Amino acid sequence: MGTVTDYLAGLKAPKRQVLEHIVGIARELAPGVEEGTSYGMPALLLKGKGLLSVLETKKHLALYPYSGKVLAHVAEDLEGFSWSPGTLRFSADNPVPDALVRRILELRLAELGE
């Protein structure tokens, strides 16, 4: 077990499944990720740097790509979601499509030199 796995295990369905699915995509794209923390959040780390964090908040679910540039690159695909440069907000009823999650992660991996 690790920080991300432990965090997700404490959430209730269906939110847990949505966030676990995103983490699964990240693990598929970056099989060498490790669990840890970054900016006080449970995170997937690649070579010690934050790749991704997913969290449940009171009002929404959130994806943090640990970059202020990645989401701006996919802004045209974020219609229907609330977002800021470092956070993508969504719900279990309106999850982020897999193709968009992959694109966000691929951009972040490119930033990390992977």
Side-chain angles (χ1 to χ4, degrees):
M1 293 287 233
T3 52
V4 174
T5 303
D6 291 343
Y7 172 76
L8 293 174
L11 302 180
K12 294 181 179 175
K15 294 176 182 178
R16 182 183 69 248
Q17 286 95 336
V18 170
L19 298 181
E20 285 175 337
H21 184 71
I22 293 170
V23 169
I25 292 170
R27 290 183 189 280
E28 176 189 320
L29 293 175
V33 295
E34 297 178 354
E35 295 190 21
T37 58
S38 186
Y39 294 95
M41 298 182 285
L44 293 180
L45 307 173
L46 192 60
K47 298 180 182 174
K49 298 194 184 243
L51 171 65
L52 171 80
S53 184
V54 290
L55 297 175
E56 173 189 38
T57 72
K58 287 183 181 180
K59 296 183 179 183
H60 57 264
L61 300 175
L63 183 155
Y64 302 90
Y66 292 107
S67 170
K69 298 176 183 176
V70 167
L71 295 178
H73 285 294
V74 296
E76 68 279 358
D77 297 322
L78 298 177
E79 188 174 327
F81 296 104
S82 170
W83 67 282
S84 62
T87 309
L88 177 57
R89 292 171 285 278
F90 55 98
S91 68
D93 294 332
N94 186 29
V96 182
D98 288 2
L100 181 55
V101 171
R102 287 178 185 284
R103 190 159 170 227
I104 289 167
L105 289 167
E106 288 166 353
L107 288 167
R108 180 62 180 144
L109 287 166
E111 282 185 341
L112 295 172
E114 294 296 316

